[in-house]
Amino acid sequence: MDEDDILDCLIIGGGPAGLTAAIYLARFHLDIRVVDAGKSRAGWIPCSHNHAGYPDGINGKELLRLMREQAQKYGAKIIQDRVTKLERDDETGVFTATWGSGGERARSILLATGVTNRKPPMDEDLHDEALANGLIRYCPICDGYEVTDKKVGVIGSDSHGVAEALFIRSFTADVTLIAPDAALRLSEEDQQKLKEAGIECIDGPAQAVAVADQCIVVDTAEGRHAFDSVYPALGSDTHTQLAEMVGATLSDDACVKADSHQRTTVPGLYAAGDVVLGLDQISHAMGEGGVAATTIRNDLARQRPLFREAAISEPTLEEAETGS
């Protein structure tokens, strides 16, 4: 095995967690790559007002562009592709990752593959248009402020939908919980909570059918309703497939299990961001990316020295005397 052909770290995922780690690791003078499928949910954000340092907010795609630029400034190479296979040699501990246009071997892997929100039943183009205009929103923690005193629909029929509707109720008095399919499935306790909060309930099936006059129109079993914004509360799917390929343990909530330093149960495999904890917060993902990068650097240093070679040779006595 040619040691020069093995990366120090391969980062899989180019969202806030992965790119933060890339910036750190590149500045640690490590040999790294980022493979990014271009599916980060941060790119869905029309304008984030929770990100510290941007008082007027920042578009999600622009934030990712700036982070990529920053990582590349320090030498990180970013490949646009999707890793489809991950293997680990038990004898050497070296990983092999494969994607459409090639692959790499690496001493360590950082999984920052995130999650995918389940979309409501509606046309794909209509969904993207509504999302870009703030008519569909996925994170009330991030943007509940933007629906203050607005008319809001929540699509969801279990305890998750109830919890989201109750959370949004602290921003506006006009909240409606809508079943995505046949009918709302609620416990007596949840029904009582909704009643006390003054949240209306509507049976489905529900389908968003139009965007008009700065509102989104939803067809339900009880007629057509217009909202200023709709929150799908349909859950999400965590991208743990690569972790499972190398035998990493998952947590009870189907995320990749990691310790406080972002180490998984597989030596050399690290994870950060929503693939570990689906908090849906850029700041949290960035924090975990920084922790993971520092842990990776220190763990690699325990395996072999990371001493930097001299970049400039010392001048000879003759050169020093002549000033050449």
Side-chain angles (χ1 to χ4, degrees):
M1 181 184 297
D2 189 345
E3 293 291 320
D4 292 336
D5 292 337
I6 304 175
L7 298 174
D8 289 315
C9 183
L10 178 69
I11 301 169
I12 304 176
L19 291 175
T20 297
I23 293 166
Y24 275 60
L25 290 168
R27 286 174 53 82
F28 288 148
H29 294 296
L30 296 182
D31 186 12
I32 69 167
R33 298 284 188 278
V34 179
V35 182
D36 178 31
K39 301 294 185 180
S40 172
R41 291 185 304 161
W44 289 13
I45 302 172
C47 189
S48 172
H49 295 276
N50 274 10
H51 198 302
Y54 295 93
D56 295 321
I58 183 168
N59 173 269
K61 286 185 172 63
E62 176 65 5
L63 176 64
L64 293 175
R65 185 193 69 78
L66 291 170
M67 293 184 72
R68 286 193 294 269
E69 181 180 312
Q70 188 171 350
Q72 289 168 327
K73 176 180 179 179
Y74 295 105
K77 182 178 179 181
I78 300 174
I79 300 167
Q80 293 294 318
D81 215 320
R82 185 174 72 87
V83 175
T84 56
K85 187 176 182 180
L86 185 63
E87 300 170 287
R88 182 179 183 272
D89 187 311
D90 292 335
E91 183 177 342
T92 64
V94 172
F95 294 87
T96 301
T98 305
W99 53 87
S101 60
E104 290 277 8
R105 293 182 299 166
R107 295 180 178 86
S108 63
I109 298 286
L110 174 59
L111 292 178
T113 45
V115 306
T116 297
N117 292 108
R118 295 171 191 158
K119 298 177 182 179
M122 62 189 299
D123 176 78
E124 187 76 19
D125 291 338
L126 180 64
H127 171 275
D128 293 347
E129 178 187 354
L131 188 67
N133 292 309
L135 301 177
I136 287 182
R137 301 175 182 271
Y138 282 93
C139 181
I141 295 174
C142 305
D143 54 25
Y145 183 89
E146 274 64 56
V147 299
T148 298
D149 296 331
K150 299 289 184 66
K151 184 172 183 174
V152 178
V154 177
I155 299 178
S157 60
D158 54 13
S159 58
H160 182 71
V162 172
E164 191 139 321
L166 290 170
F167 187 91
I168 294 168
R169 182 63 180 81
S170 66
F171 296 97
T172 178
D174 197 340
V175 181
T176 302
L177 179 63
I178 311 163
D181 39 40
L184 287 168
R185 300 183 298 274
L186 304 175
S187 67
E188 290 186 9
E189 181 182 358
D190 282 340
Q191 291 180 47
Q192 184 62 30
K193 288 179 181 178
L194 294 171
K195 182 178 180 181
E196 291 174 357
I199 295 174
E200 184 181 356
C201 297
I202 298 177
D203 284 336
Q207 182 173 7
V209 294
V211 171
D213 298 326
Q214 297 184 326
C215 68
I216 183 166
V217 179
V218 180
D219 269 349
T220 75
E222 300 179 24
R224 181 166 289 189
H225 299 264
F227 299 97
D228 295 306
S229 284
V230 165
Y231 282 86
L234 303 172
S236 57
D237 298 306
T238 312
H239 302 157
T240 61
Q241 296 89 340
L242 296 175
E244 294 177 77
M245 286 181 187
V246 291
T249 301
L250 302 187
S251 60
D252 292 339
D253 55 354
C255 293
V256 177
K257 189 174 183 179
D259 67 13
S260 59
H261 295 278
Q262 310 308 135
R263 298 184 184 97
T264 73
T265 56
V266 175
L269 181 70
Y270 306 79
D274 287 334
V275 74
V276 175
L277 178 64
L279 193 60
D280 300 349
Q281 296 301 299
I282 291 173
S283 57
H284 178 263
M286 287 180 168
E288 287 198 343
V291 171
T294 305
T295 304
I296 291 167
R297 185 265 171 214
N298 291 340
D299 286 352
L300 288 173
R302 292 187 187 98
Q303 298 172 20
R304 73 187 203 288
L306 296 179
F307 303 145
R308 187 165 176 79
E309 296 181 4
I312 303 175
S313 62
E314 293 291 331
T316 65
L317 179 60
E318 181 180 354
E319 289 173 334
E321 290 176 344
T322 61
S324 61

